[in-house]
Amino acid sequence: MDNNDILIRLRYALDIPDRDMVRIFKKGDIDISLEEVSKMLTRNDDGKAVMECSNFFLESFLNGLIVEKRGVLKSKTGEVVKGTLDLKEGMVPNNTLLKKVKIALSLSSEDVLDIFAKADIKIGKSELGAFFRNEEHKNYRVCMDMYARGFLKGLAIVYRK
């Protein structure tokens, strides 16, 4: 699953109109036009995205989604705290997707497990916790595409009533 698929499925699951996508990107510090968003959400005849969504764009969108849903985070001194950009090009974004959507939607671990269950994916608490760990932790586990797809499918079931 590529970043464009993730963006398309997340947009569908949360029922986000294109104009709101532009606003969310802007909250993630990306100035993008409605036309460019449309190109990221469209595939040409050979199945490739018209405009590729890089890890930088995807993570910026996820950061913008956090700001959209939860508001701006401020430090104790009152300064705005920017979202982190941890994804390097070539890295699988699935773990970051889970983490940032969980934050944006204020989901507990139980909520995430319920979302997986809606998509008929059985996952335990410890396995879920491994997805949220730091990459350098010995119990870290890469979130495979089947889990990311299932999570997005479950989100669609829960949020598109």
Side-chain angles (χ1 to χ4, degrees):
M1 188 163 66
D2 65 20
N3 292 350
N4 294 78
D5 285 332
I6 291 171
L7 201 59
I8 290 166
R9 290 169 189 246
L10 187 58
R11 175 187 178 273
Y12 174 78
L14 299 178
D15 198 18
I16 304 171
D18 289 355
R19 292 202 182 280
D20 290 350
M21 297 274 297
V22 171
R23 188 180 70 242
I24 292 169
F25 269 112
K26 188 175 281 302
K27 289 181 178 185
D29 294 329
I30 297 283
D31 283 322
I32 191 168
S33 69
L34 188 59
E35 181 181 335
E36 289 171 313
V37 167
S38 181
K39 286 179 180 179
M40 275 193 237
L41 301 172
T42 306
R43 300 230 177 248
N44 55 28
D45 293 336
D46 64 355
K48 296 204 186 261
V50 174
M51 180 178 162
E52 184 182 339
C53 179
S54 66
N55 279 353
F56 174 75
F57 272 79
L58 180 63
E59 192 167 19
S60 295
F61 178 79
L62 294 171
N63 287 339
L65 186 64
I66 291 170
V67 173
E68 174 79 8
K69 298 291 188 182
R70 307 259 322 240
V72 177
L73 179 64
K74 293 188 178 180
S75 68
K76 291 181 181 180
T77 60
E79 295 176 32
V80 174
V81 177
K82 298 280 186 184
T84 61
L85 294 170
D86 302 322
L87 277 175
K88 312 283 185 285
E89 286 309 313
M91 287 178 65
V92 177
N94 298 342
N95 293 69
T96 302
L97 168 72
L98 287 177
K99 288 176 194 176
K100 293 198 177 201
V101 170
K102 180 181 183 228
I103 292 167
L105 301 178
S106 303
L107 300 172
S108 67
S109 292
E110 290 297 325
D111 295 333
V112 175
L113 291 171
D114 290 342
I115 288 169
F116 275 115
K118 296 275 188 204
D120 294 324
I121 293 183
K122 307 287 186 253
I123 186 171
K125 280 186 180 182
S126 60
E127 190 173 13
L128 180 64
F131 292 150
F132 295 123
R133 294 191 185 282
N134 185 307
E135 279 181 53
E136 291 150 22
H137 192 279
K138 67 177 184 163
N139 293 330
Y140 170 80
R141 184 163 172 227
V142 173
C143 178
M144 305 303 287
D145 283 349
M146 68 176 265
Y147 291 112
R149 259 190 232 99
F151 178 71
L152 292 170
K153 180 181 175 185
L155 268 181
I157 292 167
V158 170
Y159 284 88
R160 290 187 65 95
K161 294 179 182 172

